[in-house]
Amino acid sequence: MVSQADCIFCKIAGGQVPCHKLYEDEQVVSFLDAGPLTRGHTLVVPKAHYMTLEAMPAELAGSCMAAVARVGRAVVAATGAGAWNVLQNNGRVAGQVVEHVHFHIIPRAEGDGLGYRWPAGTLDKTDAEQLVGAITEALSG
């Protein structure tokens, strides 16, 4: 496993820093977020250190998402939340603060005051065609 000596999530996964652990298996650990947005806000973190999602092996990403689904169901059951968000900030520009891949499970309730901006635009046909070409080329390369 790759780790980074000064990474807080590596320290939590390695048992060097205490947490309110909810779930653990060979590849992931899940615990309550120390700065929760809502009651039950939980993190799912791979034990191996990867800064961004695309750097992770696909198998590990799959293990993380399986844990997100399992833990998410349990968080909703325990908190009585009406729904939940999954959030993964991938890189500083996207809001990632801890440079170790992690997934937020955020329980939601009507009127919880937690919101987000989603200023939907429109998809230009010419731009869409150019994007399809560039992205499919990147996928095959």
Side-chain angles (χ1 to χ4, degrees):
M1 243 186 270
V2 178
S3 68
Q4 188 171 326
D6 60 347
C7 173
I8 186 66
F9 290 164
C10 286
K11 289 178 182 180
I12 289 171
Q16 300 161 315
V17 171
C19 69
H20 295 283
K21 191 182 303 181
L22 302 173
Y23 173 79
E24 182 174 19
D25 63 28
E26 288 183 15
Q27 296 184 316
V28 304
V29 63
S30 178
F31 49 91
L32 293 176
D33 192 305
L37 297 177
T38 61
R39 184 172 181 268
H41 181 167
T42 299
L43 299 177
V44 173
V45 178
K47 290 181 177 180
H49 184 85
Y50 293 96
M51 290 177 59
T52 58
L53 188 58
E54 69 274 10
M56 287 175 47
E59 180 182 313
L60 180 55
S63 294
C64 286
M65 290 312 296
V68 165
R70 181 176 183 183
V71 174
R73 282 190 299 272
V75 168
V76 166
T79 63
W84 52 294
N85 291 113
V86 175
L87 176 65
Q88 195 277 323
N89 299 320
N90 202 55
R92 288 262 180 217
V93 173
Q96 184 178 8
V97 176
V98 178
E99 292 182 334
H100 184 123
V101 172
H102 56 287
F103 299 85
H104 296 263
I105 295 171
I106 306 166
R108 301 299 305 272
E110 281 293 329
D112 62 15
L114 184 63
Y116 53 88
R117 296 181 320 131
W118 194 291
T122 57
L123 183 61
D124 175 78
K125 183 178 179 185
T126 303
D127 189 38
E129 290 169 357
Q130 291 172 346
L131 280 169
V132 166
I135 293 169
T136 54
E137 182 179 327
L139 284 168
S140 64

